[in-house]
Amino acid sequence: MKNILTEIVAHKHTEVAARKQQRSVEELEQVSWFKRTPLSLAQFLRDPEKTGIIAEFKRRSPSKGIINGNVTVQDVTTAYTRYGASGLSVLTDEKYFGGSSDDLQQARALNNIPILRKDFIVDEYQIVEAKAIGADVILLIAECLSKQEVAQLAAFANNLGLEVLLEVHSGDQLDKVTDHIQMVGVNNRDLTTFKVDFNRSCELASQIPADKCKVAESGISNTDAIVTLKQAGFQGFLIGEHFMKQENPPRAFEHFVTELANKSVQ
């Protein structure tokens, strides 16, 4: 199968170069949201009163095509917040995931919980942009960045007050974790093939440095999975497709959280 990640990253470099021409860093720094103090997702994930769920707004993906084209950012993200999400994840990649910066700005205007900008970050410009559109956290994907690039981008993000979630898929990628990374996410989906192996998180959990907030990503479709992942030491659970593919994502999220709460009580 063609390596979709390589294709996405190549396109991202071209896209960022074009955006730099449209809007300078100086312009982005003048946006009011650039001056706000970001919220800490790591803190929200460690809060025992919250669910630990980072609930994602995503219209489509390269592997699944359109997941849900009928819902609005407003309806979905406000329901996520209302029913106890610890954070939001908003796709801003347009070509492959049907997202936009506007989606994240809408989510920011409506919600007062941490927001992760979910995109393929390859340049410091995108981090400035993330802060200007109201994000609190950026995603760095170990699979498509060198150790040096991760270190440089993470330090740059921290200097702007943003937290960093480093996404890994294998044990050797944990070598890219630095002091400027607050959260380590294990993606159960292999981004080169898009195949999902739920056990990947549990296998890598013990190898993640103890001072980092552990986040499991992809393939989480029931509350039992969260119970298992919590036992393995995870504090965060990034879930998007499971809710977004339902006809009514807000209701699906509400039911999921209620069921999870009942399990926590038992």
Side-chain angles (χ1 to χ4, degrees), residues 61 64 71 76 86-87 91 93 105 110 112 118 220 228 253:
S61 80
K64 299 280 168 74
V71 287
V76 176
S86 293
L91 264 296
D93 175 82
Q105 290 176 91
L110 295 160
N112 194 32
K118 187 89 175 283
I220 303 168
T228 302
F253 184 71

Side-chain angles (χ1 to χ4, degrees), residues 116 137-140 163-167 183-185 215 217:
L116 166 73
V137 192
I138 59 151
L139 176 74
L140 294 179
E163 288 187 333
V164 179
L165 170 63
L166 178 69
E167 176 179 299
M183 294 156 283
V184 175
V215 179
E217 308 173 27

Side-chain angles (χ1 to χ4, degrees), residues 112-127:
N112 194 32
I113 62 173
I115 301 180
L116 166 73
R117 179 188 187 179
K118 187 89 175 283
D119 211 317
F120 298 83
I121 298 214
V122 293
D123 192 294
E124 289 178 356
Y125 178 85
Q126 293 164 285
I127 301 174

